[in-house]
Amino acid sequence: MRFPGRGRRLPRTVWLLVVARAVNRLGAFSISFLTVLITSEFGASAATAGLVSSAFGLATIPSRLLGGLLADRLGRRRTIVLGLCCCAVVQLAVAGAGSVAAVAVLAVLLGLAFELYEPPSQAMIADSAGPDDRTRAFSLFNAALAAGGMGAGLIAAAVGRWDLRWLFVVDALTCLACAAVVRLALPGDPPGDRRAEAGGSGGTTPWRDPALVAMFVCGTLFATVYMGIMVALPLALPLRGLEAADAGLLFTVSAVTTVAGQPLLRLRPVAGLPPPVALAVGSVLIAAGLAGYAVARGLPAFVAATVVWSLGDLFMVGRAYAVVAGLAAPDARGRYLAVYGTSWGVAAVAAPLAGTQLLERVGAGGMWAAAAGVCLVLAAAQLGVGPLLARRPPARPPAAEPGELEELEEMEETEGSESSGPEGPGGSVSGGSSAERGGRRRGDRPGRRARWPRAGVAGRE
């Protein structure tokens, strides 16, 4: 009996992209110091700095949507390189800015470039990994960004003491280094329009897809809770007798948990969970961790609660992106992932408002309890999305994707199948009798456990 993602190596493209983005993440600390630069270097008020930061955040929403469109029309690799180079140019301009007005304009431009490379990165992972390996691939991608974030904090601590402007220079250099790796090491984009290459998506409009909209709503709730933790934890710790700086330690614990917990995704009970169940389990774990925050009184208790909610994050992030990638035809994945990713832009605006208001009105314990309640509602909602995914109509005509083809070949070798050819246009496998070819589906091959119908793939089976 085999389970999704067990025992198979991820494609080389996934590993190269993970390494490249981890390098980029090492420098992704300058935005955190944008408000500090405005107040300390130019003497602007905190309110002005907050407005500039908000303008940057709002600009990232159209940036992500444009990145998804370009990923499907221009190509994955080209869009990643374009976004990284644009970020580098604007970062260097910020480092040399001479006024608050200049920084404000550059902050908006940086926001418009900041998310361009995210949807094509995610789409490239979905293109390279087979449907059963996407959860593991996206989780590895998230873990690499978390690991890079830990290194980014150390670099920021060293460079920031010297000159804040150099933080933006270092960030620009890591963007260029990542762009070079992507351009030189990753496979090129196919020639011509991706619609022609994939057979057309039939005019797919992501916002009209009910399954994607349901995932977007759930993703927005999750992102709002997650961003709320990032914003509220430093404010809530002093109310429990701890230092605000202890939040940095807890964020590091979360990153370590995400990285160290990757092998859990390959365990048989975890790998075999249907996506809605896995997402609901993750939400319940996050709720348990936040409930722990509500009653915690010392640093060890906060560390334990952080480990619990970080395990929930581990369950959810990779699985959610894998589900969204499966909803779309290959030529529409960039746009689908971009639409889903805008949930983080919405959360960036909503979370600070909700978190600070709750903290002021009901205190730290009430705030964490409310966030835990939202996660329980989210768990129920994710179970409710399950039937919608199962009833999903086909996203495109039957065809084996690159990752699925590798999976089929490996499965045939492992199970000793006499058939050795790839699937044909009708979904059958070469070899065997005509009756076997007509009645055998991917999910029904001998010796293989039936799987949850994959969104966007179930209809093609």
Side-chain angles (χ1 to χ4, degrees):
M1 181 179 295
R2 291 179 60 88
F3 287 82
R6 284 179 55 82
R8 289 195 297 271
R9 290 191 299 269
L10 292 173
R12 176 174 176 269
T13 298
V14 173
W15 285 102
L16 287 173
L17 184 58
V18 163
V19 170
R21 288 299 308 276
V23 170
N24 172 235
R25 186 68 177 87
L26 285 173
F29 43 67
S30 60
I31 298 304
S32 302
F33 292 89
L34 181 62
T35 55
V36 181
L37 177 70
I38 293 172
T39 55
S40 63
E41 293 284 330
F42 301 108
S45 66
T48 299
L51 287 174
V52 173
S53 182
S54 296
F56 164 83
L58 288 173
T60 61
I61 296 178
S63 172
R64 188 179 282 264
L65 294 173
L66 178 59
L69 180 64
L70 291 176
D72 292 335
R73 301 292 174 85
L74 182 64
R76 319 301 200 209
R77 192 179 72 172
R78 294 187 189 97
T79 306
I80 295 172
V81 173
L82 174 65
L84 289 167
C85 290
C86 288
C87 280
V89 170
V90 181
Q91 295 269 27
L92 292 173
V94 171
S99 67
V100 174
V103 172
V105 172
L106 291 170
V108 173
L109 293 177
L110 182 59
L112 291 173
F114 199 74
E115 297 287 347
L116 282 178
Y117 53 81
E118 204 64 52
S121 297
Q122 296 163 351
M124 183 175 283
I125 289 175
D127 293 342
S128 302
D132 286 341
D133 291 320
R134 283 178 189 150
T135 295
R136 196 155 52 93
F138 279 116
S139 296
L140 178 65
F141 184 68
N142 186 52
L145 296 183
M150 289 188 289
L154 297 176
I155 295 174
V159 177
R161 296 177 188 276
W162 179 28
D163 190 330
L164 289 175
R165 291 176 182 267
W166 278 99
L167 292 174
F168 295 88
V169 175
V170 173
D171 200 342
L173 293 177
T174 59
C175 286
L176 293 175
C178 181
V181 173
V182 170
R183 177 64 181 82
L184 298 176
L186 293 183
D189 298 306
D193 191 279
R194 294 196 66 88
R195 285 184 180 275
E197 177 262 335
S201 63
T204 303
T205 303
W207 288 111
R208 294 182 181 178
D209 187 328
L212 177 63
V213 172
M215 289 297 297
F216 170 77
V217 172
C218 291
T220 301
L221 286 176
F222 165 71
T224 302
V225 170
Y226 188 91
M227 293 294 293
I229 296 173
M230 301 297 107
V231 171
L233 189 57
L235 301 175
L237 288 179
L239 302 178
R240 296 294 171 84
L242 300 174
E243 297 290 335
D246 289 333
L249 172 62
L250 296 178
F251 293 148
T252 301
V253 169
S254 176
V256 170
T257 303
T258 301
V259 174
Q262 291 300 306
L264 293 175
L265 299 175
R266 304 186 70 174
L267 294 179
R268 187 168 296 178
V270 177
L273 287 175
V277 175
L279 293 171
V281 169
S283 296
V284 171
L285 286 172
I286 295 177
L290 296 179
Y293 276 177
V295 298
R297 289 295 182 271
L299 187 59
F302 275 97
V303 169
T306 299
V307 171
V308 173
W309 73 253
S310 299
L311 289 174
D313 175 62
L314 178 68
F315 266 75
M316 292 185 65
V317 174
R319 185 86 61 163
Y321 278 107
V323 169
V324 172
L327 292 175
D331 60 312
R333 282 187 187 136
R335 284 167 286 158
Y336 267 63
L337 289 163
V339 166
Y340 179 75
T342 58
S343 59
W344 291 95
V346 175
V349 177
L353 297 175
T356 53
Q357 288 295 316
L358 284 171
L359 188 61
E360 181 178 338
R361 295 176 184 275
V362 299
M367 177 189 65
W368 297 127
V374 170
C375 289
L376 294 178
V377 172
L378 176 59
Q382 285 162 333
L383 291 175
V385 171
L388 186 61
L389 297 179
R391 294 194 302 268
R392 172 131 190 109
R396 50 164 286 188
E401 300 177 40
E404 291 177 285
L405 186 56
E406 295 175 8
E407 177 186 345
L408 289 172
E409 292 172 348
E410 180 182 340
M411 194 69 64
E412 289 162 0
E413 293 175 0
T414 303
E415 295 169 356
S417 172
E418 294 181 358
S419 60
S420 58
E423 290 191 350
S428 62
V429 180
S430 301
S433 67
S434 59
E436 290 174 333
R437 290 197 302 271
R440 183 184 299 168
R441 300 184 305 169
R442 292 191 195 99
D444 298 331
R445 283 190 292 277
R448 190 178 190 193
R449 178 183 177 183
R451 297 177 302 192
W452 177 267
R454 296 190 299 269
V457 178
R460 299 200 297 271
E461 299 180 298

